[in-house]
Every structure is written in structure tokens, then in C-alpha cells.
Amino acid sequence: MAGALYPSDRFQAATCYAALCSQYKDAAASLRAHKLVIELVQSMVSPSLPLVERYRNISAVREAIDAAVAAAIEAGDPTLALLWFEHGRCIVWGHILRLRIPVDELRSEAPDLAAELDDVFGQISDTERIVDMPYRTPGQIQAVYRYGDLVDRFDDLVSRARQLPGKEAFLQPRTLEELKETTALGPVIAVHVDKARCDALILQHGRDDVLHVPLPQLTLQSAERMRNFIRRSLTMSGTRAIRPSVQRQLTSMGPSLSALWTRVVGPVFAALGLSQSESHLLPRITWCASGPLALLPFHAAGIYNGKQKFKAFEYATHSYTPSLSALLSAYRQSLAPVHAEHTIFIASQPATPGQIPLPGTVTEVETIQRVVGASKLSWLNDTDATAGAVLDQIGQHSWVHLACHAVQNSEDPMESGFLLHDGSVSLRAIMRRTTLGRNALAVLSACQTAMGDNNQPEEAMHLAAGMLMTGFRSVVGTMWSIGDSDAPVVIEAFYSYLMRNAGGDSRQSAHALHHAVGRLRESVGEENFTQWVPFVHYGI
């Protein structure tokens, strides 16, 4: 008797069936096949699998989801396409975010169950680190058995939670109605890239359906070229490597930004009816992009030369999100009452052992002191900024500003973190100190905190997205290294706007960054892209 098929065998068979249906233009059969593929995705990236295996499966899963989204669009169902698009965001570590908010919502009704879920999830996170260490690491075999037991226990707790009244959808994928809540911030734009077709799917406030905008001038190949051109330009200019200042003008980025406007941003703005404006408070939009577009600066798209000039920053205030669910979670947290007074914790590292000195970080903090007032700051500098001390402070303040070196771990994103005097503070450690609803704003004045990973761009493996996952509602980061002379300009204008124009409301941080980058752009010139483009906003 033949044995049962492994999940990978079933997944491969389903994807082949879906591809065959698509090849013969059978839309109805194709959707049925792709729905089966989507149902099997979780078995390929389940938390019960070792992290290494989950990453090994990503490419096949990603390609299958992209094909499913394209098929749904081809069949004239943009709503299904958007839900499937969201299913593919942050596959490996998105379960972290999917857990935190529902568990927090569970506390009032079943506090013991919520606490147990927290505890088991923390143990799973710790144990998988040992499981994924090199072969024959001491304690690894025991960790493997323990990991399986913890996952079974976690699944049992989830089942118990779903038996509670009104919690039947606990930890289930978000519905369209839930995702539409985020449109209170402004339009949310999902840009999908596939070898078959490319499209934008837009959620708008007051609109029940999903607006579909075909992008016929965009292809997977052209998206990869735009990403590679910008990547090559940054490599040539040295801005992907940490250095004290950025002085060289990046002339080759202009054509890529022009192509991004022509192929994506321009058509989307036309569909939304957006126009250029000199208003100080532009409409807010949020981008969520797939594939190679996940690493591109939509806020800088534009045609900067010629008789007619189009610049994305003149149409809207731009923000980003690694997934629509992440934006929804941040938005729901923001509905809590806003306190007028905020205390800011700042950690600065002008001379981290083993790293290039960053003397400008002290100047940066002094700038914040002038704007906000020293009485509202808690500052740890240099040798005082130890990992333990920084973690303690992060848990006590709603705003956090980290001026230091950072490191990204592409194999285990939750081990990405910030380099301090006596070691590093990882996202995993920060997540255990943050409190949902309390931690409002994180400013990451560290190099390349929103750079992402070229091999797995959609996993959003950078610190800006990671801080959103740990519980912060708004995050400011940089896509590449920034100049010592540029950071103080942006930081001063950013905090000045927040304190004076926004009354200390961090929900206006996207507009504050838009204003601050505008100040820098006026100072350095629009076409000095390396200096003003890297500053980005994530969340609400």
C-alpha cells in the first residue's frame, strides 16, 4: 500500500495542476486549483518546521502565491487576489505579528489562556534557535523533541481560544472587512509582480470593493532591472557599506526613479485622482509591494528632468508596510487614548567596539534635546548603553530613538538587532520588552535599517519592519547609509514637527518625516538622491 504523500509532494502536485489549468485558460478550474495551493502553503512554512526548512521552501511558495494572485486577477476577482496577496506577505515570521495582537485582545476574557500562549510562543522562539544551530550542537536533539511538544501545545491552546464566544476566527487570516479598517489612514496600495502580469490592488476609505489598476508597462524583468540598477548604483557609490558621510551624487538613480514613476506610481496616482499640490498636509498613502519592488523607494519616484516634471513626494505623504496585517495591527493599537506627554529614550553609540566610530550620534542627540527639552529625555550614551540597560529602558518609554550600528540576520530575522557597547539587542529580545499599545514610535538612526534582503525581499527582513512586528506602531528607518551632516537636519525637523505641529501625536510621524526630508532635499538638491531618498516611514 502506498504511503501518504508528504506535504511537499501534495504542494508540488497542486501547483502543477494549477499551472496546467492556467495554460489552457480554464479560469474556473484554475481558481479551484490555486485555492488548493493556498490551503497547502501553511504546511510548507509551518512553525513546526525548522526555520532553515521554512526558508528553503519560500521560493516555491512565493512563486505559487504570485501565480494564484495573477490567476484571480485574470478571472476578474480582485478581492480574492488581494486576500491571496496578503497570504504571501512575510511568510516565515509573519506568525509573530498574527499572534501578538489577537493574544492581547484575549487578555480581558481569558487572561490565563493569553498568558500561557505568550509563554509557549516565547519558548518556541527560544527553542528554534537551538534547533537551527549547526549539526550536533549540544542540546540540539533534546531541543528538537521539545520543539515538537511546544508546537503541539501551542496548537491545543489555539483550539481552546477558538472555542470562546466570538473568538472562532482567532489567529485566522484577516478578512477584507478587517483590512479595510486601515483605509482610515488613506489609500493602501498593494503592488503585485508576477511573470504573467503586474497589477496594483487598492483599498480606499468608503469604497467596498478593491480597485484594480493594471500595470501593463511593468514586468517582472523590468522590476528586477530597476532594483538592480539602484543596487548597482549604491554599490558603486559606497552607500551600501557603512561610512561616516555620503558625498557622491548618484546620477544613475534618476532613470530608475523615472521608470518607477512611469510603470507604477503614475498610473496608480491617476487611478486615485491624486494631483500635485504644495499643501503642507498632503493625503497619506501606504505602499505594500511584492517581489523586487519591495526594495524600491516609491516615495522618490518621478521624472526630474524634462519639460514636464512629476515627483511622487508632491502628490502624497508616503509610508510603507511589510503586510496589510501589520498595518492593521498598528492601526488598532493607535486607537488607544493618546497621552499628551511623551518621554523619549535615546541610546547612542559614538564608538562601538569593533565598529567604525559614529561621532555624529552625540550631535544628533543634542539636537533632539534642543527641540524636545532635556527633561523629557532618558539618554544612555557610549559605555552606559549596555544591552541590558537599553532593553530595560525600551520597556519604559513610548518613544525610542536608537543612534547606533545595526546588523541584519537574513537566516533568522528575529536575531537582527542593534549593536551596543557590550553586545547586541535583537528584535526577539525587544519584542519581550515592548507592550502593545504603549510603544508608539521608534526612530532607527542606524545604517540600513530598512534595506531589506535581495534574496528574500518580501520577507521584509530589516529592522524597520521588525520593530513594527515587535509592537511599535510607527517606525522611521533608512534604506541605506546616511551622511553625518544629513541626519541632524532630518532629526531636528522631524521632532520639531511632531512636537509643535502635531502636538506630540506620533500618529503624525509619516507627515513629520515627509516634512523633514523636504527640508533636507531643499538643502542638498533634489537630484542628490543618495542623501534624501533613504529615509522611510513604516506603520501608521
Side-chain angles (χ1 to χ4, degrees):
M1 182 192 300
L5 288 175
Y6 288 107
S8 57
D9 295 329
R10 297 182 64 204
F11 181 80
Q12 185 176 6
T15 54
C16 289
Y17 173 44
L20 188 64
C21 292
S22 297
Q23 180 180 346
Y24 285 95
K25 307 298 182 183
D26 187 339
S30 176
L31 284 187
R32 288 197 299 271
H34 283 297
K35 182 179 179 180
L36 176 59
V37 171
I38 295 295
E39 291 173 351
L40 292 171
V41 161
Q42 187 57 32
S43 67
M44 296 287 286
V45 292
S46 169
S48 63
L49 296 175
L51 195 61
V52 172
E53 187 171 346
R54 281 181 266 165
Y55 274 110
R56 191 163 53 237
N57 292 338
I58 280 182
S59 295
V61 168
R62 183 75 63 203
E63 186 174 347
I65 291 178
D66 286 344
V69 174
I73 294 173
E74 196 71 33
D77 195 339
T79 295
L80 181 62
L82 183 69
L83 293 175
W84 283 355
F85 174 92
E86 174 62 13
H87 203 79
R89 301 312 95 205
C90 307
I91 291 173
V92 169
W93 61 311
H95 66 283
I96 294 170
L97 182 69
R98 289 197 299 272
L99 173 68
R100 295 208 78 195
I101 297 300
V103 169
D104 197 56
E105 296 171 350
L106 193 66
R107 295 188 197 286
S108 59
E109 301 174 33
D112 292 340
L113 181 58
E116 196 170 355
L117 276 164
D118 274 340
D119 178 62
V120 173
F121 184 76
Q123 291 184 59
I124 289 175
S125 181
D126 287 340
T127 306
E128 73 177 1
R129 294 174 57 194
I130 303 174
V131 172
D132 292 315
M133 284 181 178
Y135 183 58
R136 291 189 175 179
T137 296
Q140 190 174 50
I141 295 178
Q142 294 89 333
V144 169
Y145 288 114
R146 176 172 171 75
Y147 190 84
D149 290 340
L150 287 169
V151 170
D152 289 342
R153 186 178 164 198
F154 181 80
D155 289 341
D156 178 64
L157 292 171
V158 170
S159 296
R160 286 169 51 190
R162 288 176 180 168
Q163 294 171 13
L164 296 173
K167 298 297 180 182
E168 295 81 7
F170 182 75
L171 290 188
Q172 297 283 16
R174 299 296 190 182
T175 65
L176 181 65
E177 287 302 314
E178 288 179 304
L179 296 178
K180 280 165 53 180
E181 293 177 31
T182 61
T183 60
L185 302 169
V188 181
I189 307 158
V191 185
H192 176 251
V193 181
D194 181 62
K195 58 186 177 183
R197 59 179 301 149
C198 299
D199 305 85
L201 302 167
I202 306 175
L203 291 174
Q204 293 176 272
H205 188 62
R207 180 166 178 161
D208 293 332
D209 61 338
V210 175
L211 176 62
H212 169 223
V213 182
L215 301 174
Q217 295 190 63
L218 180 67
T219 64
L220 178 59
Q221 293 74 21
S222 66
E224 289 173 341
R225 283 197 299 271
M226 285 188 283
R227 177 196 63 185
N228 292 338
F229 283 150
I230 290 181
R231 181 185 179 190
R232 189 178 304 118
S233 300
L234 295 174
T235 301
M236 291 174 61
S237 68
T239 55
R240 284 183 71 93
I242 297 174
R243 60 182 187 142
S245 63
V246 178
Q247 297 176 342
R248 186 178 303 176
Q249 179 175 333
L250 197 61
T251 57
S252 59
M253 194 180 290
S256 294
L257 297 178
S258 176
L260 186 59
W261 171 269
T262 302
R263 299 173 190 272
V264 183
V265 178
V268 167
F269 282 4
L272 288 172
L274 295 178
S275 58
Q276 290 169 295
S277 173
E278 295 182 358
S279 171
H280 292 295
L281 193 63
L282 294 171
R284 163 84 180 275
I285 62 174
T286 303
W287 297 95
C288 183
S290 73
L293 290 184
L295 302 178
L296 295 185
F298 290 89
H299 63 283
I303 298 175
Y304 292 84
N305 295 309
K307 293 183 179 179
Q308 276 194 308
K309 297 182 179 181
F310 304 94
K311 304 160 189 174
F313 60 79
E314 293 183 344
Y315 288 73
T317 292
H318 300 255
S319 187
Y320 298 86
T321 183
S323 70
L324 304 187
S325 296
L327 185 65
L328 174 63
S329 296
Y331 171 70
R332 286 182 172 178
Q333 293 174 59
S334 73
L335 299 180
V338 177
H339 300 288
E341 292 294 326
H342 288 283
T343 56
I344 306 173
F345 166 63
I346 304 178
S348 56
Q349 286 287 279
T352 309
Q355 302 294 324
I356 297 173
L358 298 173
T361 58
V362 174
T363 304
E364 189 174 310
V365 178
E366 291 170 346
T367 299
I368 300 173
Q369 283 182 321
R370 289 196 301 272
V371 173
V372 177
S375 62
K376 295 182 180 180
L377 301 184
S378 177
W379 178 20
L380 293 178
N381 182 49
D382 200 21
T383 58
D384 292 331
T386 62
V390 167
L391 278 174
D392 287 341
Q393 291 293 319
I394 285 176
Q396 299 176 30
H397 298 270
S398 56
W399 292 10
V400 172
H401 185 108
L402 301 176
C404 57
H405 284 292
V407 60
Q408 293 184 179
N409 187 324
S410 60
E411 295 182 356
D412 184 356
M414 290 308 292
E415 283 304 301
S416 298
F418 304 91
L419 301 180
L420 301 169
H421 182 73
D422 63 341
S424 65
V425 168
S426 69
L427 290 174
R428 181 176 278 108
I430 291 173
M431 183 176 68
R432 293 190 170 185
R433 297 302 179 99
T434 54
T435 301
L436 295 176
R438 176 194 297 171
N439 295 96
L441 172 66
V443 178
L444 312 181
S445 188
C447 295
Q448 308 171 145
T449 50
M451 185 177 68
D453 184 275
N454 286 296
N455 296 322
Q456 300 290 354
E458 290 174 283
E459 283 309 298
M461 290 182 288
H462 55 69
L463 290 161
M467 292 294 274
L468 201 64
M469 297 289 191
T470 65
F472 283 88
R473 303 195 294 263
S474 304
V475 184
V476 172
T478 58
M479 299 181 75
W480 54 78
S481 300
I482 55 179
D484 282 344
S485 60
D486 298 334
V489 175
V490 172
I491 293 302
E492 180 174 18
F494 175 79
Y495 282 104
S496 293
Y497 186 100
L498 273 185
M499 301 306 295
R500 297 167 188 167
N501 297 68
D505 185 358
S506 62
R507 292 175 295 188
Q508 298 297 315
S509 57
H511 292 295
L513 185 65
H514 179 90
H515 166 77
V517 172
R519 286 280 185 87
L520 177 62
R521 190 166 48 241
E522 291 172 1
S523 174
V524 302
E526 284 183 351
E527 294 191 7
N528 282 315
F529 299 118
T530 51
Q531 293 183 257
W532 65 267
V533 171
F535 298 92
V536 289
H537 178 274
Y538 273 76
I540 58 99

